[in-house]
Amino acid sequence: MSGPLLGVEDLTIAFEQGVGGLLRRGQGLFTAVDHVSFAIGRGECVGLIGESGSGKTTLGRAVVQLIAPSAGLIRFDGTDLTALPARALRPYRPRLQIVFQDPTESLNPRFSVEEIVTEPLRLLKLGERAGWRERALRLLRQVGVTDDALSRPPRHFSGGQRQRIAIARALVTEPELIVLDEPTSGLDVSMQARILNLLRDLQGRFGLSYLFISHDIGAVSYLAARVAVLYRGVLVELAPTRALIAHPAHPYTAALLGALPSWVRGRSELPAAEPTRIVAAVPGQGCPYAARCPRVLERCRTQRPERRAIGAGREVACHNPLDSAA
Amino acid sequence: MSEAAPRRWGFLPLLRWGEFGRRWRPEPLVAAGLAMFLALAAFAWLGPLFYTASPYAIHAHRLFLPPSLRHPLGTDDLGRSFLARMMYGGQPSLGVAIVGSVVAMLIGLGYGMTSGLSPPRLDKALMRLLDAILALPTLVLMIFFAAIVPLGPLSLILLLGLVSWPGLARIVRNEVLAYKERDYVLAARQYGAGTGYLARRHLLRAMFPIVVVNATFTVADLILTLAGLSFLGLGIQPPTPSWGGLLGNGSNLAITGSWWLILFPGVAILLAILSLNLVGQGLLNRLEGR
Amino acid sequence: MSGAPLVAVEDLRVTARRAGRTYPIVEDVSFKIEAGGLLALVGESGCGKSLTAAALLGLLPWGLAVDGGQIRLEGQNVLELTPTQWRRLRGRKVGAVFQNPLAALNPSLPIWKQVVESAELTFRLDRAAARARALELLELVGVPQAAQRLDDYPHQFSGGMRQRVAIALALACDPRLLVADEPTTALDLITQAEILRLLNRLRLERGLAVLFITHDLSLVAEYADQVMVMYAGRVVEQAEARRFFAGPRHPYSRALLGAIPRLATPEVRLTDIEGLPPSPFEYPPGCRFAPRCPRVIEPCRRELPPPAGDQRQRAFCHRPFAQEPG
């Protein structure tokens, strides 16, 4: 039972691109997630940062077995889930949960809150039916939703409360790992703060592990001990949060931090660098960030940088990283 | 995948505070249409309880009488009470259309859900088949069937049901495809929900509104089709009255100047179709405004 | 910058009529923006910030109307003009940018035509002059290789470039005031920083007055020279940006700022505000923030709070925080 709770190894997810027509099948493959590896320890929160289209949502859905990967392993508690048939996967489902970005989308508008929160129990046949309601009530209380919610439809609640209901649903199976897919990005700042606080409290109380997916570095730094940065499906940097913030190694990470409002970033000034020249990578070969990178070298164009360790718990995939030792 | 955060023009929800006191306000179109349609149905089914003249009794001494106090809607070419014939004529006209539409909805819903939940290849094949069925000219098909099947209410119900489901099937299939990717369906799949469960608990409920709207329009459609068939002599067979048959008969006798034989069945058909379209449109407004 | 301010709004009041009664949705909003100034109007959804902008743009939705106060544009009260006069004035003096640039752009017209459409109408340009003007505008907003992109269509641009095009369109008639309603909310972090820098450059170089509307206080710390926070249709605090970020005096402003995670201090708990903003149809008497305020005292529930502080920082509060030296 030792080892990390979740181990993602060389995960690759490719989609057939939407080229229709019977004659042109399978022409364009789009690689949404490209040889990504990372691990999450028990009780740990790992942040996954990326812009829209970076493949972070696809990655999160693959972790909870909603998308089948093209290659690679997803080990949960030592077992490779991608190799399991649906029946053998069942015992793992309750231990692995997901909270989606938009609670308006993720809660069936035609269900009552009770039906929503107890649905996983019904589907996974967990516990006595008679105890479901009590269990739902207990969790709703824990996430801060009042008791009279049970019989009401989700539209009677504000966005923040709906997200709490979604979190209660994720908690109802007593999971060990929850994938949080941008759980705060549709919310107002004050509501966002409340959800972040709630997630932090729940993690402490239940010893949960999180994969916290977000484009918001501030929110990630609030919850995550380690951060993975995804750019066009490639994991370009993985580091403890504090180290990454203080001394980003990958030029893309540096650009992200540099784009943060100074109020969030703090005093440390990171100059917003523009690329000196535009160097487009050879498709499938070079570094995906080469075209935008201010530190681009000639070999970035033709040679995909391998990920390598650069100090305690840090990895970067770059030919010319920034000095992170300082 | 999801909509942009509803921040800009955050006041827009304000403008939809119809459920101010959380009271249900009936959509005016729906209420009006429903009232009209129920009145017509009451006329057809409850009317005979109050006006007991037989629609079949022939009276050679009172042919072609115009409306009067004794004969509120006049009499026809065989001296039968036209009010009685209008009442009894409403029963097959409305009843066959309603039941036929239910049949069509069940087939369309089943076909559409099956197609939408099938693996892509089978789905594609089922949709091509649907295209082929849609390409068949309905009325010609009906005339063909009517020629070879003995005509009665039951066969007409099946006939009408069998030709009017493809439209709904396509709509349902497209909706299923859209709903299949909704996050709450994904969430259920993540807890191990199978296709049957998703269809039963998530998708069927979601289809309910469009099926109801579609059913209203289909009933209106079938009333018209049935009237058309009867007009051509292929619908409900005389002496059983039906509004379409009465209208057809009346127009054959137009030369006698018996305007009531055309006016009343015509207005009845018109009102039935109008009322159902009002209901359908009202429901549609509700759905889209939600 | 002496003389009358470019824009002066005084005691603006927007009301909704419903079931024969009139409900104030926005009340007592007053502010001034000098040429070259940037006023940040901040608040959560439903606080009336977008409606204030809509009133300024003459774009109030049906059922809402300006019911009092003044909107002075270069000294002239536009509410006294006829609708046609106001529309003409607005066309020439006020530009607007919204969250979704696609909504502002016509997908079936090449961008150069759209960018200069309003200018063509206003200045009666011929084709060559119009193309030249479009090129000038696109270069101004930093569209790279603008000359080659004049004939492209909106879908050929990325999200950030579309927003630049939308800004070019807003600038076509050389407006004096630019109203930007959440112009960066839909954009990625790096693009957002670029657009903010662009807006800042435009106002400094061209003396454009900017009304910047956002829910995210951290965005405006660098660029705004004035901050105005709204809650439930009323202004709660109005201050010079430097003063404001040194220490907001209204409890709501303070909570709003404290709800934003900061990289340097992940251990500091984010500020929670319990409850939800009231709906405009059931505003409480007295201070509208009182039901949620952690510092509430007796008068808050009865009387509208008086302004506290001076011209440079003013909070509408019965019990404001002390002013920080700033």
Side-chain angles (χ1 to χ4, degrees):
Chain A
M1 288 297 270
S2 64
L5 182 64
L6 179 82
V8 173
E9 294 167 29
D10 255 342
L11 191 74
T12 300
I13 303 168
F15 295 112
E16 255 177 48
Q17 221 151 15
V19 278
L22 291 164
L23 301 173
R24 300 193 298 154
R25 288 181 70 87
Q27 277 201 333
L29 269 185
F30 169 71
T31 309
V33 177
D34 199 347
H35 295 282
V36 167
S37 304
F38 64 92
I40 301 180
R42 284 165 215 279
E44 188 189 25
C45 172
V46 171
L48 185 62
I49 290 178
E51 298 185 308
S52 51
S54 62
K56 55 188 193 300
T57 291
T58 310
L59 179 54
R61 289 184 180 185
V63 166
V64 295
Q65 307 299 308
L66 276 174
I67 296 176
S70 315
L73 305 181
I74 296 170
R75 278 188 206 284
F76 185 78
D77 204 4
T79 314
D80 177 20
L81 300 183
T82 61
L84 294 181
R87 182 174 292 277
L89 203 55
R90 265 188 102 80
Y92 291 95
R93 296 237 183 240
R95 302 170 64 187
L96 202 61
Q97 286 288 357
I98 184 166
V99 173
F100 294 93
Q101 172 178 348
D102 180 358
T104 314
E105 274 282 307
S106 71
L107 308 180
N108 190 333
R110 292 171 189 82
F111 279 23
S112 70
V113 169
E114 181 177 0
E115 283 176 294
I116 287 168
V117 178
T118 56
E119 188 181 33
L121 301 175
R122 179 191 308 274
L123 276 166
L124 296 164
K125 303 190 174 64
L126 296 175
E128 288 295 311
R129 196 190 184 99
W132 288 353
R133 189 189 169 89
E134 197 44 52
R135 203 151 151 185
L137 264 180
R138 199 181 66 229
L139 282 163
L140 286 169
R141 267 183 223 135
Q142 268 167 350
V143 299
V145 176
T146 49
D147 287 5
D148 59 337
L150 274 188
S151 60
R152 288 155 68 187
R155 76 183 131 83
H156 284 185
F157 299 88
S158 70
Q161 285 193 302
R162 281 182 211 155
Q163 196 58 292
R164 285 160 192 261
I165 293 166
I167 291 171
R169 172 176 65 183
L171 289 172
V172 79
T173 61
E174 293 169 7
E176 291 153 66
L177 173 74
I178 304 183
V179 173
L180 303 162
D181 186 2
E182 303 243 24
T184 59
S185 60
L187 303 174
D188 272 319
V189 254
S190 65
M191 201 53 83
Q192 182 176 322
R194 288 162 73 181
I195 296 289
L196 288 176
N197 282 340
L198 173 68
L199 290 171
R200 193 142 115 166
D201 296 345
L202 290 172
Q203 190 190 13
R205 196 179 312 155
F206 298 113
L208 295 166
S209 304
Y210 290 145
L211 175 60
F212 185 69
I213 300 172
S214 180
H215 67 278
D216 181 349
I217 303 178
V220 167
S221 75
Y222 189 63
L223 282 182
R226 290 191 301 139
V227 180
V229 182
L230 210 60
Y231 183 77
R232 296 217 183 151
V234 177
L235 205 163
V236 295
E237 184 164 4
L238 179 67
T241 312
R242 280 191 171 257
L244 181 114
I245 287 165
H247 303 289
H250 197 282
Y252 175 62
T253 316
L256 279 179
L257 289 169
L260 280 176
S262 61
W263 177 258
V264 175
R265 191 174 66 226
R267 285 298 134 220
S268 68
E269 285 300 317
L270 282 157
E274 301 282 332
T276 44
R277 60 211 164 107
I278 304 287
V279 179
V282 178
Q285 288 186 23
C287 171
Y289 192 57
R292 288 167 70 185
C293 185
R295 297 171 61 84
V296 66
L297 304 173
E298 198 46 54
R299 70 180 152 142
C300 299
R301 220 171 76 78
T302 51
Q303 201 184 341
R304 166 69 64 89
E306 293 292 318
R307 203 169 51 241
R308 57 199 167 91
I310 49 158
R314 301 199 61 170
E315 290 175 24
V316 67
C318 181
H319 289 307
N320 188 18
L322 285 86
D323 185 11
S324 60
Chain B
M1 158 148 248
S2 70
E3 299 163 350
R7 287 236 174 78
R8 189 191 122 197
W9 307 127
F11 50 81
L12 277 182
L14 285 181
L15 306 179
R16 278 197 261 124
W17 280 7
E19 53 266 32
F20 210 141
R22 215 166 268 151
R23 256 180 315 129
W24 186 71
R25 274 188 325 177
E27 187 78 29
L29 288 183
V30 178
L34 211 57
M36 214 193 277
F37 189 77
L38 287 178
L40 281 172
F43 171 74
W45 273 281
L46 303 180
L49 301 178
F50 301 98
Y51 184 80
T52 49
S54 160
Y56 300 110
I58 298 175
H59 301 279
H61 59 280
R62 48 176 219 216
L63 310 180
F64 297 119
L65 291 182
S68 64
L69 276 179
R70 232 181 107 74
H71 306 290
L73 297 187
T75 61
D76 68 0
D77 52 330
L78 298 177
R80 296 172 289 199
S81 160
F82 202 57
L83 176 58
R85 287 189 70 75
M86 280 294 295
M87 285 171 175
Y88 283 92
Q91 294 175 9
S93 290
L94 299 178
V96 168
I98 290 171
V99 183
S101 139
V102 169
V103 171
M105 293 304 107
L106 289 178
I107 303 175
L109 187 64
Y111 192 98
M113 297 239 327
T114 310
S115 183
L117 288 167
S118 298
R121 245 161 223 250
L122 182 55
D123 174 43
K124 227 171 207 172
L126 286 171
M127 280 297 113
R128 290 288 162 276
L129 181 63
L130 195 65
D131 287 338
I133 296 171
L134 272 170
L136 296 172
T138 315
L139 197 63
V140 177
L141 203 67
M142 299 259 326
I143 292 172
F144 172 73
F145 278 122
I148 55 171
V149 188
L151 290 173
L154 191 67
S155 62
L156 276 170
I157 283 171
L158 289 176
L159 212 61
L160 290 170
L162 281 174
V163 296
S164 27
W165 59 270
L168 179 74
R170 179 178 296 271
I171 298 174
V172 165
R173 179 260 183 181
N174 290 342
E175 288 279 304
V176 166
L177 284 196
Y179 274 102
K180 224 164 64 162
E181 297 304 316
R182 298 288 283 263
D183 285 348
Y184 62 78
V185 176
L186 286 182
R189 271 177 49 202
Q190 203 261 312
Y191 319 129
T195 309
Y197 176 90
L198 292 181
R200 255 192 346 269
R201 285 201 45 99
H202 285 281
L203 299 173
L204 207 54
R205 288 200 218 182
M207 297 304 128
F208 185 68
I210 52 162
V211 171
V212 170
V213 169
N214 217 271
T216 358
F217 287 125
T218 305
V219 173
D221 225 42
L222 291 189
I223 290 174
L224 200 61
T225 312
L226 193 62
L229 282 177
S230 304
F231 191 91
L232 295 173
L234 294 168
I236 303 291
Q237 292 303 303
T240 309
S242 75
W243 287 346
L246 293 177
L247 183 63
N249 192 38
S251 64
N252 286 338
L253 299 166
I255 195 161
T256 64
S258 318
W259 51 268
W260 58 95
L261 296 185
I262 300 174
L263 179 71
F264 296 123
V267 166
I269 293 169
L270 184 80
L271 286 181
I273 292 167
L274 179 68
S275 66
L276 288 165
N277 276 298
L278 287 179
V279 174
Q281 192 58 50
L283 289 173
L284 212 55
N285 293 349
R286 237 309 136 99
L287 272 184
E288 281 164 4
R290 191 179 49 189
Chain C
M1 309 290 166
S2 61
L6 187 74
V7 191
V9 171
E10 275 164 46
D11 300 328
L12 181 71
R13 183 180 151 94
V14 176
T15 54
R17 286 190 70 82
R18 183 168 291 281
R21 286 189 60 189
T22 310
Y23 296 88
I25 310 283
V26 170
E27 274 184 295
D28 294 337
V29 171
S30 304
F31 59 89
K32 294 183 180 125
I33 315 178
E34 311 275 337
L38 194 154
L39 172 76
L41 176 48
V42 187
E44 297 180 273
S45 29
C47 72
K49 59 186 193 299
S50 281
L51 279 182
T52 304
L56 214 59
L57 294 168
L59 291 177
L60 281 175
W62 192 86
L64 299 179
V66 174
D67 195 25
Q70 295 189 341
I71 299 175
R72 289 187 178 276
L73 207 56
E74 294 185 321
Q76 182 166 34
N77 185 2
V78 298
L79 298 177
E80 286 165 0
L81 300 176
T82 67
T84 318
Q85 283 173 324
W86 188 12
R87 206 176 58 233
R88 290 230 180 89
L89 187 70
R90 224 158 52 210
R92 301 194 54 156
K93 301 282 184 195
V94 187
V97 187
F98 300 107
Q99 180 178 331
N100 181 1
L102 272 189
L105 299 173
N106 180 340
S108 59
L109 280 181
I111 55 157
W112 77 269
K113 279 199 175 158
Q114 311 193 40
V115 167
V116 291
E117 197 177 19
S118 58
E120 275 180 307
L121 287 177
T122 312
F123 305 121
R124 305 191 182 282
L125 301 174
D126 61 29
R127 188 186 158 90
R131 270 185 84 91
R133 174 77 178 139
L135 180 59
E136 185 190 334
L137 286 164
L138 290 176
E139 280 173 345
L140 176 70
V141 297
V143 173
Q145 289 147 348
Q148 279 113 66
R149 305 214 62 177
L150 283 178
D151 296 306
D152 283 357
Y153 290 84
H155 71 268
Q156 291 166 295
F157 290 81
S158 67
M161 281 303 147
R162 278 183 206 142
Q163 194 58 289
R164 284 176 195 261
V165 172
I167 293 172
L169 191 150
L171 296 177
C173 290
D174 255 327
R176 305 301 321 280
L177 169 70
L178 185 69
V179 177
D181 190 354
E182 302 260 9
T184 65
T185 304
L187 302 176
D188 275 329
L189 186 62
I190 293 178
T191 322
Q192 165 174 295
E194 285 168 2
I195 295 291
L196 284 174
R197 243 178 274 138
L198 168 66
L199 288 176
N200 195 45
R201 199 191 81 213
L202 288 171
R203 65 134 176 159
L204 294 177
E205 285 175 5
R206 302 171 69 89
L208 193 65
V210 180
L211 176 62
F212 188 92
I213 293 164
T214 180
H215 67 281
D216 186 351
L217 263 175
S218 71
L219 276 190
V220 296
E222 264 154 291
Y223 299 119
D225 36 40
Q226 290 181 79
V227 176
M228 182 161 101
V229 180
M230 284 183 76
Y231 181 80
R234 296 190 77 98
V235 175
V236 295
E237 183 159 3
Q238 215 164 350
E240 287 176 8
R242 188 169 312 202
R243 285 275 191 109
F244 182 87
F245 286 101
R249 299 192 58 193
H250 196 282
Y252 178 68
S253 317
R254 199 159 272 226
L256 213 49
L257 203 56
I260 301 168
R262 303 182 73 177
L263 297 191
T265 53
E267 67 286 344
V268 175
R269 194 177 170 83
L270 302 177
T271 312
D272 270 320
I273 322 173
E274 284 306 315
L276 291 170
S279 101
F281 301 99
E282 39 206 46
Y283 282 148
C287 175
R288 287 176 187 171
F289 187 57
R292 301 173 71 192
C293 185
R295 287 165 65 83
V296 65
I297 48 176
E298 191 39 38
C300 300
R301 302 191 193 280
R302 283 181 283 111
E303 293 155 38
L304 275 180
D310 55 17
Q311 283 292 339
R312 299 177 60 201
Q313 181 170 22
R314 180 181 290 162
F316 293 83
C317 182
H318 286 291
R319 198 185 160 206
F321 287 96
Q323 186 162 330
E324 307 277 335

